Amino acid sequence: MPVHKRTDDIDWNDLRYALALARHGSLSATARLLKVNHATVARRIAALEASLGIVLFERRARGYRPTAQAQPVLQAAEQVEVPLLRLGRLADAERGQQLEGNVRVTCTEGIASHCIAPQLAALRQRWPGLQIEITVEHRSLSLARREADIAIRWARPQSGELYASRLGNVPYRLYRNPLTGDRSVIAAFDESLPDLPETRWLAKQKTLRPVIRSNSMLPLVAAARAGACAVLLPEFIGRQFPELVAEPGRPPVSRELWLVLHRDLRRTPRVRTVADFLGAAIRALLRQSS
């Protein structure tokens, strides 16, 4: 029978690592989120298991899964985490009006490369004390847990203490290099992204055959630009490549883009400044597609 140690031996930071591993499922993803190496994550989890005298995670082919014994520990840790995170957000909002420090932005790859990165020179020129950290993710990072300060998302959030501002409508078109020989072949996202509207649209097409797949947009665009296939892209991305020509007619897919931040951080000067700047820039970019 395991010998449980006193709870005052438990380090909150170890609990924080356990929560992150339970949420993200792998040492590497947890390490990226917490900005440490994966060995540190493993060491922290081992220390917590030793403190509690129980096994918290079992390793499976697709990552780490909490054990039944871990559930009450994780639930208790979440109850501790919520007020600490709120205190941190409120304290951050009261730290003065200096426009300096780090702002974390999360978005998908296309938004990062074609909407946000091109704006950073102008942003840094106006506010040189700001540092921008961009996390590229298809899944939604938690703004409440400060996994990011600002999110650019393809859907309006339906829950949480979040502020959401609509950036605009994003039409998608089929693009190809006129030199593409076979007009039936297309590049598409792989099976890891089955729920995207563009993936669902493609699944219904009888005249298009996916011949190149990836979980990243960059190789799909590169293949289309080289004439290997067509690719379905947002207009604001497709029109940036003169060698790609859009198929005429009504856009087959249309999505909405939203800027989201936690309500507690709307008063934080550096977060509000970056959100307002990026929001205005993205709106202007999307209007060019209207």
Side-chain angles (χ1 to χ4, degrees), residues 156-176:
R156 183 174 188 171
Q158 300 301 311
S159 62
E161 297 180 86
L162 303 176
Y163 167 80
S165 175
R166 185 178 180 274
L167 296 174
N169 184 65
V170 182
Y172 280 63
R173 291 188 180 275
L174 202 61
Y175 288 86
R176 60 168 55 86

Side-chain angles (χ1 to χ4, degrees), residues 99 119-130 273 276-277 280:
L99 292 177
Q119 306 301 326
L120 295 185
L123 188 150
R124 291 271 301 122
Q125 186 175 19
R126 291 183 64 180
W127 299 289
L130 292 174
T273 296
D276 290 347
F277 182 88

Side-chain angles (χ1 to χ4, degrees), residues 246-265:
E247 192 167 279
R250 184 177 180 179
V253 176
S254 184
R255 303 181 69 182
E256 285 190 340
L257 199 59
W258 292 79
L259 184 147
V260 186
L261 61 158
H262 198 281
R263 291 188 181 276
D264 289 344
L265 293 181

